[in-house]
Amino acid sequence: MRHQKGIKKLGRTSQHRAAMLRNMVTSLFQHGRIHTTEAKAKALRPFAERLGTLAKRGELHARRLAAKDVRDGEVLKTLFSDIADANQSRNGGYTRVLKTGKRRGDNAPTALIELVDYTPEPAPVES
């Protein structure tokens, strides 16, 4: 039985949802982490995991499949060079979702979705 196996629709049309996920996954690979609602983060996770697996393959066909979703050429290069190299020995699980509480305006649960090997850059020291 396939009970509760559908995708999360997030209150959007299929075209809007696909565009939103493409934009979010591009931002995720560009910045290393993004702050969003918990539902969007959970919907983004399998999308990003699939692209991480394509990047590990590293072949031309995998790059072209990933280019359908990651529209920024620089981010695509980063995905296939840096991120793929860092996750070469990892069998899936390239992202993590960390719950961060409630959003002030509408009380929506928020979360951080980040790459597992993400390390934040140190803040510049003012002198």
Side-chain angles (χ1 to χ4, degrees), residues 41-116:
K42 287 181 178 182
L44 181 63
R45 174 182 259 176
F47 197 70
E49 298 283 337
R50 184 176 60 85
L51 288 173
T53 303
L54 284 174
K56 276 177 47 177
R57 282 177 30 195
E59 58 197 26
L60 179 62
H61 182 60
R63 184 178 291 265
R64 286 179 175 165
L65 288 174
K68 290 192 315 185
D69 296 324
V70 179
R71 301 284 172 92
D72 187 357
E74 291 299 317
V75 175
L76 192 65
K77 287 178 188 174
T78 303
L79 173 64
F80 273 80
S81 60
D82 302 338
I83 298 172
D85 292 341
N87 293 319
Q88 200 62 42
S89 62
R90 188 182 305 274
N91 293 327
Y94 313 117
T95 59
R96 75 169 61 98
V97 175
L98 303 169
K99 296 178 183 180
T100 57
K102 304 279 187 174
R103 189 162 56 196
R104 185 170 180 203
D106 59 356
N107 208 29
T110 59
L112 274 175
I113 181 167
E114 67 182 10
L115 300 174
V116 172

Side-chain angles (χ1 to χ4, degrees), residues 7-59:
I7 62 170
K8 297 290 184 191
K9 295 186 181 178
L10 303 173
R12 289 160 170 77
T13 63
S14 61
Q15 295 89 1
H16 186 180
R17 186 172 52 251
M20 181 189 66
L21 288 174
R22 282 193 301 266
N23 289 334
M24 288 175 69
V25 80
T26 302
S27 295
L28 174 65
F29 289 135
Q30 183 177 9
H31 301 290
R33 75 163 36 164
I34 55 173
H35 190 253
T36 183
T37 63
E38 190 177 323
K40 287 180 190 174
K42 287 181 178 182
L44 181 63
R45 174 182 259 176
F47 197 70
E49 298 283 337
R50 184 176 60 85
L51 288 173
T53 303
L54 284 174
K56 276 177 47 177
R57 282 177 30 195
E59 58 197 26

